[in-house]
Amino acid sequence: MASLKDATAIAGIGQTPFAKHLPESEKTLACRAILAALDDAGIAPAEVDGFASYTMEETDEVEIAKAIGAGDVTFFSKVGYGGGGSCATVAHLAAAVATGQASVGVAWRSRKRGSGPRPWTNTAVQLPTPGQWTRPFGLLRPADEIGMLARRYMHEYGATRDHLFNVALACRNRANQNPAAIMYERPLTREMYMTSRWISEPLCLFDNCLETDGALACVIVSAERARDCRRRPVYVHSAAQGLPAQHHGMVNYWNDDPLTGPAWTAARQLWKTADFGPQDIDVAQIYDAFTPLIPLSLEGYGFCGRGEGAAYTEGGALEIGGRLPVNTGGGGLSEAYVHGFNLITEGVKQLRGTSTTQVPGAATCLVTAGEGVPTSAVLLRS
């Protein structure tokens, strides 16, 4: 892993609009995002020779490569576990470029979840083994599983709905300033939050991510080449994946402590190869499919002690000017939910100095993937 340190950089980013419904196909959206990222970097599509995406991605590298006009492809990979895979796509390409398996890598995610079906509504599909221990007992959706973890977290550590509101508000405040966000100029108040309908108690409407159509992409090249590209390079300083022993997706039934999730495993690997630690992070993009994931991740990645994540959110700590500004584009809660890929592109914008809610002087950024499932994370630096 040490050989990956600053050896590669994100040279280009691209995205489509975000909406509840977009008319284009996922393939068309993917191609538009990828071509925008390549144009951002100033690299021709014919130079692309590496691809990485998610196993849940409905488009594939064969069709994408033909559609954009890529040349011979010498590296391609897919990462499992939905939102847990976002940062790993960058990690795989960084490793491929650093070891000479590819020279121009593209990672992408295209999704029509806003206008598409919900996977748990298909009752004809045989349940995977983990699902046989949860769904027959009423935990049908990810919101139900995280709701159960949130209830335990509240019981053990005194977290309250006000702490979850702090998370939702910080993300919404940033989205209110981001013209690309679905929740642009749509403020959230405490009264709105506290009186909204339950989705899976104790999680209300505003504790849950958006359902979005859209696509995003980024381009990864060697650090040397990135310095000659159109945009200021953002270096991949460290990367990690995490699958803890005896893991059981979302609910962590078999762990000694269900609240010590995959973030803890990924974090140990991530910081082990880094030149800086949590205290040196200027801005963080923390996976936020559900508000409780942020305090759990704050603990897992070492920003505070066990059980202190909820209290960490107090006093505007997650806002611009706070201890750790998070999800500065609005995140999955208020910008768009595309399995966390917008957290990667927002991290790049922060370190370029081009975010709509810029953290002054930001030079280091942590980006995390989904907590609760086998996960991944990257450290970016300018």
Side-chain angles (χ1 to χ4, degrees), residues 1-279:
M1 290 296 295
S3 64
L4 289 184
K5 188 184 298 180
D6 302 331
T8 63
I10 298 176
I13 55 175
Q15 66 186 52
T16 68
F18 303 129
K20 187 72 173 177
H21 174 73
L22 294 173
E24 298 91 343
S25 68
E26 289 184 349
K27 176 182 173 181
T28 297
L29 294 172
C31 291
R32 288 185 176 178
I34 291 168
L35 291 173
L38 289 166
D39 182 68
D40 188 53
I43 294 174
E47 294 190 65
V48 175
D49 56 4
F51 288 101
S53 191
Y54 304 59
T55 55
M56 289 188 177
E57 177 65 37
E58 294 293 332
T59 63
D60 66 72
E61 57 277 347
V62 176
E63 294 303 313
I64 293 295
K66 286 191 294 186
I68 68 168
D72 291 342
V73 176
T74 56
F75 178 87
F76 42 93
S77 72
K78 290 197 172 185
V79 185
Y81 306 102
S86 59
C87 296
T89 65
V90 173
H92 286 199
L93 288 175
V97 171
T99 55
Q101 296 178 76
S103 58
V104 177
V106 168
W108 84 97
R109 182 69 170 114
S110 179
R111 200 164 188 242
K112 294 192 71 173
R113 180 60 175 270
S115 57
R118 307 295 179 262
W120 54 82
T121 62
N122 188 352
T123 57
V125 175
Q126 175 68 36
L127 287 177
T129 299
Q132 295 174 28
W133 292 94
T134 56
R135 293 183 188 173
F137 305 98
L139 301 181
L140 301 179
R141 307 160 298 173
D144 303 320
E145 296 168 318
I146 298 302
M148 190 169 72
L149 283 183
R151 180 63 77 192
R152 178 158 182 167
Y153 188 61
M154 289 173 161
H155 173 75
E156 291 196 15
Y157 298 111
T160 67
R161 292 192 67 208
D162 275 309
H163 292 121
L164 301 183
F165 169 65
N166 292 339
V167 172
L169 181 65
C171 293
R172 181 63 67 90
N173 285 345
R174 304 292 76 75
N176 288 167
Q177 301 168 277
N178 176 8
I182 288 179
M183 292 299 176
Y184 177 57
E185 294 185 335
R186 296 172 64 181
L188 176 66
T189 66
R190 186 179 184 278
E191 181 181 7
M192 290 168 59
Y193 176 89
M194 291 297 175
T195 58
S196 66
R197 70 180 187 272
W198 295 118
I199 300 299
S200 189
E201 195 173 350
L203 303 184
C204 71
L205 175 65
F206 299 113
D207 291 311
N208 291 261
C209 63
L210 301 167
E211 300 286 12
T212 312
D213 288 5
L216 304 102
C218 67
V219 177
I220 291 136
V221 298
S222 69
E224 181 179 9
R225 177 163 188 181
R227 288 189 279 270
D228 294 326
C229 289
R230 284 181 178 166
R231 304 292 185 183
R232 178 180 180 180
V234 171
Y235 298 98
V236 180
H237 183 71
S238 180
Q241 291 180 262
L243 169 56
Q246 297 298 310
H247 176 69
H248 186 108
M250 300 287 202
V251 292
N252 291 343
Y253 278 158
W254 318 125
N255 294 56
D256 291 336
D257 181 357
L259 297 175
T260 303
W264 294 73
T265 302
R268 285 191 291 270
Q269 181 69 16
L270 187 74
W271 298 121
K272 182 170 68 177
T273 60
D275 290 341
F276 48 84
Q279 70 280 0

Side-chain angles (χ1 to χ4, degrees), residues 10 12-15 18 40 86-87 90 170-171 173-181 215-218 234 282-288 318 320 325-332 334-336 338 340-360 362-368 378 380-382:
I10 298 176
I13 55 175
Q15 66 186 52
F18 303 129
D40 188 53
S86 59
C87 296
V90 173
C171 293
N173 285 345
R174 304 292 76 75
N176 288 167
Q177 301 168 277
N178 176 8
L216 304 102
C218 67
V234 171
D282 296 322
V283 60
Q285 314 297 332
I286 299 178
Y287 192 86
D288 61 338
L318 308 183
I320 300 294
V326 302
N327 299 4
T328 46
S334 285
E335 181 186 32
V338 196
F341 212 101
N342 52 324
L343 300 176
I344 299 170
T345 56
E346 175 62 20
V348 172
K349 292 172 187 175
Q350 280 289 341
L351 300 190
R352 286 179 174 180
T354 61
S355 173
T356 55
T357 55
Q358 185 63 43
V359 173
T364 57
C365 179
L366 167 70
V367 186
T368 76
V378 293
L380 304 177
R381 75 162 187 86
S382 60

